[in-house]
Amino acid sequence: MLRRLLWAIAISIGLAGCGYNDIQVADETTKSAWSEVLNQYQRRADLIPNLVATVKGYAEQEKEVLTQVTEARSRVGQVRVDPTDPASLRQFESSQRDLGGALSRLLVVTENYPQLKSDQNFRELQAQLEGTENRITVARKRYIDSVQGYNVMVRQFPVNLTAMVFGYKEKPQFAVENEREISTAPKVDFGKPASEPKK
């Protein structure tokens, strides 16, 4: 009994200096940051039906663009992403990029409808969308930073030994083909200042 207690104390002391707890903290930080990325993308997806409905009220003849946005949103909803799988991350970002492209085309089309641009509901949705795109950029940056911190930690000696023993590996980074393009949130300003979104 005393031997077991001594072994438990020795193991606890050994683990305290080996970085195990630091790995746990860094791992949870990356999970939390990833949840925020998903949360902001979901916020954007939730805004789209209202935006499409508002545009449809003024621009029914733009059915092709409206359909593209709706279909792209549907495809985004079907992607099951695993942030530990690089292929899954690429598929997720590809679907998000397609949705962003369809959304951009929709917003360009609205330029042809002055009444739509002056609609209060549309302007509020536009402001919310712009804010969401900025939040997506910030959340993605935080996730990238947290993964970088985690990856550096599990590669540094002596923590790398602990990581090997417990099976902690580097996490794939959230990088995409058009990284420079997506590093700036799309501009959705139509010349008139958008009203503040309702809280």
Side-chain angles (χ1 to χ4, degrees):
M1 180 80 164
L2 183 59
R3 273 188 156 165
R4 286 184 185 169
L5 182 60
L6 291 174
W7 272 108
I9 292 170
I11 289 171
S12 297
I13 291 169
L15 287 177
C18 70
Y20 180 82
N21 291 336
D22 293 334
I23 292 173
Q24 301 310 305
V25 170
D27 189 45
E28 287 304 315
T29 301
T30 63
K31 288 176 185 175
S32 174
W34 179 248
S35 293
E36 186 58 21
V37 168
L38 292 179
N39 182 41
Q40 295 308 327
Y41 275 124
Q42 185 60 51
R43 186 175 194 275
R44 176 174 75 174
D46 291 345
L47 287 171
I48 289 172
N50 292 333
L51 185 66
V52 168
T54 303
V55 173
K56 193 184 244 184
Y58 288 90
E60 180 65 35
Q61 63 271 33
E62 305 292 349
K63 285 183 182 173
E64 182 181 347
V65 175
L66 294 168
T67 301
Q68 288 173 351
V69 171
T70 303
E71 288 174 352
R73 181 181 181 269
S74 175
R75 283 191 299 274
V76 162
Q78 294 168 3
V79 173
R80 298 292 165 242
V81 64
D82 174 3
T84 63
D85 176 21
S88 176
L89 278 175
R90 282 193 298 275
Q91 181 185 16
F92 174 76
E93 183 54 31
S94 176
S95 67
Q96 291 294 343
R97 188 173 52 248
D98 291 346
L99 176 57
L103 195 54
S104 293
R105 287 188 292 280
L106 174 67
L107 294 174
V108 166
V109 161
T110 63
E111 279 292 312
N112 300 324
Y113 301 92
Q115 287 180 319
L116 170 62
K117 290 181 357 184
S118 66
D119 179 270
Q120 180 70 21
N121 190 34
F122 177 76
R123 289 191 347 227
E124 287 177 6
L125 287 167
Q126 174 188 356
Q128 289 181 38
L129 181 63
E130 185 174 56
T132 299
E133 293 296 341
N134 289 331
R135 287 183 180 122
I136 287 170
T137 301
V138 169
R140 198 170 40 221
K141 171 79 168 98
R142 286 182 182 152
Y143 177 70
I144 289 168
D145 290 346
S146 68
V147 168
Q148 178 185 9
Y150 172 88
N151 287 346
V152 167
M153 178 182 297
V154 298
R155 290 174 57 200
Q156 285 181 326
F157 182 83
V159 178
N160 66 335
L161 300 175
T162 303
M164 276 191 289
V165 169
F166 288 98
Y168 288 100
K169 297 180 177 148
E170 287 183 62
K171 295 180 183 286
Q173 194 50 276
F174 189 69
V176 291
E177 297 166 16
N178 62 340
E179 200 165 330
R180 184 184 305 188
E181 180 183 324
I182 68 164
S183 65
T184 306
K187 187 170 173 128
V188 290
D189 179 25
F190 294 103
K192 286 189 174 185
S195 63
E196 285 294 314
K198 290 181 182 172
K199 307 242 173 173

